[in-house]
Amino acid sequence: MNPDASMHVTETIRVLSTGDQIRRGIFRDFPTTYQDRAGRKYVVGFTVRDIARNGKPEAWHTESLSNGIRVYMGRKDTC
């Protein structure tokens, strides 16, 4: 937690793939829109700083969702 109430989060995802279900990368959904019990809507900021695979930069892109952001990691032309 930062003094300005923001957060810096590091997530480590470990994947073991035999190539039969994960062939071109993975994706991860991050909710950024929330609603409290009174029905008030809150939107929180979200920024990807970097994505690495085995310590090396990995291709990635994002897509907007109705309640957040989807981050795709990997290349669609690489198995």
Side-chain angles (χ1 to χ4, degrees):
M1 202 65 148
N2 298 317
D4 66 356
S6 67
M7 292 188 299
H8 177 200
V9 178
T10 300
E11 181 175 72
T12 302
I13 301 172
R14 297 191 191 282
V15 176
L16 175 60
S17 173
T18 59
D20 61 332
Q21 292 183 348
I22 301 173
R23 302 191 67 176
R24 305 202 190 306
I26 61 174
F27 67 88
R28 174 87 162 77
D29 293 343
F30 294 90
T32 57
T33 304
Y34 299 91
Q35 190 170 12
D36 67 13
R37 292 180 189 200
R40 291 178 296 241
K41 186 176 172 182
Y42 296 91
V43 178
V44 297
F46 178 85
T47 303
V48 176
R49 290 194 173 187
D50 67 275
I51 294 178
R53 178 191 232 181
N54 298 325
K56 296 184 177 146
E58 180 69 14
W60 61 275
H61 69 278
T62 61
E63 177 180 288
S64 293
L65 302 174
S66 62
N67 70 330
I69 297 172
R70 176 170 287 171
V71 180
Y72 291 92
M73 297 154 270
R75 293 191 172 110
K76 65 181 180 179
D77 60 342
T78 304
C79 291

